[in-house]
Amino acid sequence: MKKNVYELKYRYHTGSVAWVLHRLSGLALILYLVLHIWVISNLNNPAGFNKVMAFLNEPLFKLLELGLWGVIIYHAINGLRVILVDFFGGSKNQKKLFWGVVVVGIVVFIAGAVPFIGNLK
Amino acid sequence: MKVTFKIQRFIPENDTKPSFKEYVVEAQPNTTILDCLNDIRWHYDETLSFRRSCGHAICGSCAMNINGKNGLACQTHVQDLKSGAITVKPLPSFPIIKDLVVDLDKFYEKFNKIKPYLINDGPVPEKERLQSPEQQKLIEESTTCILCAACTSSCPSFWADDDYLGPSALLKAYRYIFDTRDTSAEERLSVVNDKHGVFRCHTIFNCNEACPKDINITNHIAKLKTALVTTKL
Amino acid sequence: MNIKFVPGDSGMRRWFFQRITGIFLVVLLLVHFTIMHFIGTGETTYQTVASRLASPLWKTFDLAFLVFALYHGLAGLWVVVDDYVHKDGWRIFIYSLIVLGGALLLALGALTIITFSPQMLTTVKM
């Protein structure tokens, strides 16, 4: 019998939403890491490095960078929630912890986005 | 009041794939889904098949997927669900025998792997093996499982890999590993420290949501993980 | 039941070190972001990067960041493969790609950091 895709039919809750977002953000960050390592490797050639950097200073990339910051924030803070669940009995309060992740996440996101936007020319 | 049900029907011998059939029954807000299923079977469509026994949330027979979430039909009331049609499907990821009846072999075989019985090769005591209240508290929650399969069939890790032990078997493993009267903790911990064992759990929490006995299964699995890491890393 | 040999361990070490590297990464990330956007002007030109990367302290920091980030990311990818890929042939193939890719990225990143020495900081044509 063909396997149904239960992921699309089973009801989502706080815990399963948190997990899906964590997995998707993780995969996105792996992609970013690969690109980042490649870009930085251009340091062997100063002119080339500055050229790549100028290219990445285009408004589109700056917007993506802001998005990246959001993705990192979610993955990092939910990651801390996972650690609380795994080692410090956080399962008992996992839903409250998730909303804590959202609140702290928004605060830290803004705290980082403000100087980032301020620094833009 | 009138309540509409959309129930998944499937007879493997006749149908190529499942389909939904609609029924309208008379129900009160506190009528259970099991009551409604019985009403349908007794008065409208005697071909509808589902498992049931005690009718009060202790035998585990009537576990099914109601409005997208696993639970017991006898414990779910019409008023617990949002207004509108109620969708009833069998537990996900198990082969369907007929309609809402699934083959639970893959669920039960997991229990054999973790040896769900007391193992104590010490001298047989004259009276009972005693436990302090604290020792009993350690396993109390894990003893209340009714083996309904709602948790394991709600777990995305189990959907991806049905060799995964799953929340229910892991909970049962916990129940014996942390039982002070049992002497085979080491052996059982080795069994759950397997490719299809405890580290397939990614703390998705679907099991906790599905459990009709409100057992915090994820917490017990977390204790198994930390027990392994502190003894075997 | 699958009784023939299948590659794959229980995932215990991976699970544990994911969490350890995760905690380190949160700390390193906060430092990195603060340096870049609070203390720094957020401008990434050769000059601004070179002034930091010349020092052994920053080289060590960046190297640690690289190692932990690669471990955490690739172990995460490994877990996803472990969950969804069941055929032995594909598992071995993809795991090899991950190990190979990781080694290449580590080499590229580490060499960039370790061998970096600032060239003449004259104005560079953009």
Side-chain angles (χ1 to χ4, degrees), chain A residues 41-61:
Chain A
S41 72
N42 280 299
L43 277 173
N44 295 309
N45 162 21
F49 184 79
N50 281 336
K51 212 164 120 198
V52 173
M53 281 304 160
F55 177 68
L56 293 176
N57 268 316
E58 297 290 315
L60 169 68
F61 287 104

Side-chain angles (χ1 to χ4, degrees), chain A residues 54-118:
Chain A
F55 177 68
L56 293 176
N57 268 316
E58 297 290 315
L60 169 68
F61 287 104
K62 283 301 171 189
L63 193 64
L64 286 175
E65 207 174 323
L66 201 60
L68 172 72
W69 174 235
V71 170
I72 291 176
I73 288 297
Y74 175 77
H75 193 87
I77 303 184
N78 189 55
L80 292 177
R81 169 177 163 272
V82 170
I83 286 175
L84 286 177
V85 163
D86 284 339
F87 295 117
F88 301 103
S91 319
K92 303 188 179 97
N93 303 304
Q94 67 101 358
K95 285 184 187 176
K96 288 200 194 113
L97 280 175
F98 179 73
W99 295 115
V101 166
V102 171
V103 168
V104 172
I106 290 175
V107 168
V108 178
F109 177 77
I110 293 174
V114 165
F116 174 78
I117 294 172

Side-chain angles (χ1 to χ4, degrees), chain C residues 72-88:
Chain C
H72 191 87
L74 296 177
L77 198 56
W78 194 287
V79 171
V80 176
V81 171
D82 208 5
D83 274 353
Y84 299 122
V85 180
H86 303 300
K87 294 229 175 77
D88 296 358

